[in-house]
Amino acid sequence: MEKRGRGPGGKSPSNPAPQQPPVTPRRERRPSMFEKEAYAQILRERLRESFHDVQYVEPPFEDSAADVGKEWKSALAKLKFANSYRMEPLKKFQAHSVETKVQQVLKESLKDVKYDDKVFSHLSLELADRILSAVKEFGYYRYKFIIKILFIQKTGQAINVASRWIWDVAWDSWVAVKHEAETYVALALVFALYCE
């Protein structure tokens, strides 16, 4: 018996039969994770389907901070870093060594300087940059440094300086270095904050 389609005007033998969609090959059935060795196969498939171009690179600690910065700026644009899951620093901040270095920088920079508030506004910025570069040479990786420079004129007054921070007692630290001249006192505060 022949099937005939109906058109708008009734029975029409001229209408062709509807076309079947092309047959696609069947994919193999994925094994259940409860079958023997199926879980390992499922994991292998998932790992094969996913790919990562993430790298983690330890910085070279024997180089100076300025050289490392130049090399890393170009490398960071190309690389993505994976989380290191490091909760403690490779090298803990040592306040006594930083204190002697900052004291040396203050003595060299302020040995023949007289008090002048206009000069000190620019000099404080230059000193903070010098101290920051000197502290970065120690190679404390993943530490952020905050440097605060205070110049106080000696006119017979007293002064109290206070700071508040959210602080991790185990890894964060600070250094206060004082340089005293005839007409002023220079106080340099260096705060080292470890970033996990």
Side-chain angles (χ1 to χ4, degrees):
M1 192 169 195
E2 186 179 357
K3 289 188 179 179
R4 294 183 185 173
R6 293 184 181 206
K11 294 183 182 180
S12 171
S14 64
N15 283 348
Q19 292 183 351
Q20 296 288 333
V23 178
T24 57
R26 283 187 154 188
R27 289 177 50 181
E28 290 183 21
R29 183 182 72 83
R30 292 178 68 180
S32 168
M33 62 187 263
F34 299 108
E35 296 175 11
K36 289 183 179 179
E37 298 184 17
Y39 186 68
Q41 182 182 351
I42 290 170
L43 285 180
R44 278 194 298 270
E45 285 178 12
R46 287 184 183 167
L47 289 175
R48 198 176 325 120
E49 291 171 3
S50 66
F51 62 93
H52 300 283
D53 57 349
V54 180
Q55 298 179 7
Y56 175 72
V57 180
E58 289 283 342
F61 290 111
E62 59 273 356
D63 296 342
S64 71
D67 296 336
V68 171
K70 291 175 186 173
E71 294 171 8
W72 278 60
K73 277 188 180 178
S74 61
L76 285 176
K78 302 170 191 170
L79 295 177
K80 295 179 182 177
F81 290 97
N83 194 343
S84 66
Y85 301 101
R86 183 179 299 279
M87 301 298 286
E88 59 188 36
L90 295 171
K91 182 166 74 168
K92 188 175 178 183
F93 183 80
Q94 299 186 359
H96 62 279
S97 58
V98 172
E99 186 175 355
T100 56
K101 186 68 173 178
V102 172
Q103 184 71 46
Q104 181 184 357
V105 170
L106 285 178
K107 278 184 183 178
E108 290 173 1
S109 302
L110 301 174
K111 61 181 173 184
D112 294 328
V113 177
K114 300 290 182 190
Y115 184 83
D116 185 6
D117 55 351
K118 294 175 184 174
V119 173
F120 279 175
S121 64
H122 298 290
L123 186 61
S124 62
L125 295 174
E126 291 175 16
L127 264 175
D129 288 339
R130 285 185 201 160
I131 290 171
L132 180 62
S133 62
V135 171
K136 282 186 175 180
E137 286 178 3
F138 285 100
Y140 296 117
Y141 181 60
R142 294 180 74 168
Y143 271 95
K144 290 194 178 187
F145 300 104
I146 299 169
I147 288 114
K148 195 173 187 180
I149 307 291
L150 300 170
F151 287 106
I152 304 143
Q153 185 179 13
K154 285 186 178 177
T155 55
Q157 82 280 14
I159 186 169
N160 289 327
V161 177
S163 299
R164 273 185 191 212
W165 302 92
I166 297 175
W167 203 256
D168 182 3
V169 179
W171 309 119
D172 298 342
S173 186
W174 66 284
V175 172
V177 178
K178 182 174 80 169
H179 175 77
E180 196 163 345
E182 291 179 12
T183 57
Y184 66 91
V185 175
L187 180 65
L189 301 170
V190 179
F191 299 95
L193 308 171
Y194 180 67
C195 297
E196 296 174 351

